[in-house]
Amino acid sequence: MTTTKKELSYFRLKLEAYLGEHFPERVNENTFITARADEALTTYCDAIAQGFSYPEAEVMASEVLYQGLHFSKYDTLVSVLENEFEKELPSPLPERLTPILLKNKAVQSVFDKYELTDDFGASPEYEKLYTELTGTIVLIIEVNGLPTVNSENMT
């Protein structure tokens, strides 16, 4: 039996923690995590070699580490559930339902309509995405007859 030993590196641990919070669907993408952590480490070492301070090198490495990971579908769905369904789905339900919703074809098709770049959350398109996700979640709840906390008070 061969066991692979996971290399513990500062950048790998930092990325794994970030993915766990914002991209839980990606926490097992070991090839991506290893490559990105290695790239960040290389950036850090190169920056130090070029005379940058440790904090400056850390900032540069973090830019590499989190590139393409600033906009999170997970965070967006949690935000929609917390803000628009606060009474029906109290905490911790949003965090528990979000991984399930991320796999839903209707939710995936809403996200697929948009080019989700790092700065998408600050774009005018974000409001449209948010509204579409809200409507899609309402339909998922209604069509599937899903129970909510205050469902007996709903018409």
Side-chain angles (χ1 to χ4, degrees):
M1 182 169 107
T2 312
T3 57
T4 55
K5 185 175 146 188
K6 192 193 296 188
E7 178 186 333
L8 294 179
S9 78
Y10 170 74
F11 292 112
R12 181 182 188 93
L13 293 173
K14 192 172 170 181
L15 181 57
E16 286 176 339
Y18 183 80
L19 292 176
E21 282 186 41
H22 305 286
F23 295 86
E25 71 278 11
R26 298 192 74 177
V27 294
N28 294 318
E29 292 181 19
N30 290 320
T31 303
F32 166 75
I33 293 168
T34 300
R36 189 59 70 88
D38 288 350
E39 193 177 346
L41 178 59
T42 300
T43 300
Y44 182 84
C45 292
D46 289 348
I48 295 298
Q50 292 171 20
F52 288 95
S53 69
Y54 293 114
E56 289 170 326
E58 169 79 20
V59 168
M60 296 164 91
S62 291
E63 286 176 16
V64 169
L65 195 64
Y66 302 128
Q67 182 180 1
L69 299 172
H70 294 289
F71 180 80
S72 165
K73 293 178 184 179
Y74 177 86
D75 289 346
T76 303
L77 279 172
V78 168
S79 178
V80 168
L81 292 175
E82 286 178 344
N83 296 331
E84 305 304 323
F85 301 91
E86 178 183 12
K87 289 184 175 118
E88 297 87 354
L89 304 168
S91 186
L93 288 176
E95 291 85 3
R96 292 191 179 157
L97 289 174
T98 296
I100 296 165
L101 286 172
L102 279 172
K103 296 175 185 170
N104 181 280
K105 289 182 182 180
V107 171
Q108 286 176 2
S109 70
V110 171
F111 279 118
D112 289 345
K113 294 178 186 178
Y114 298 91
E115 188 176 336
L116 305 175
T117 59
D118 274 351
D119 56 355
F120 182 79
S123 75
E125 292 291 297
Y126 177 78
E127 188 85 22
K128 292 178 187 175
L129 170 68
Y130 187 97
T131 302
E132 274 192 71
L133 285 171
T134 302
T136 301
I137 293 167
V138 167
L139 287 174
I140 290 169
I141 291 170
E142 289 176 0
V143 167
N144 294 294
L146 299 176
T148 56
V149 172
N150 293 329
S151 61
E152 58 275 351
N153 297 332
M154 299 175 78
T155 56

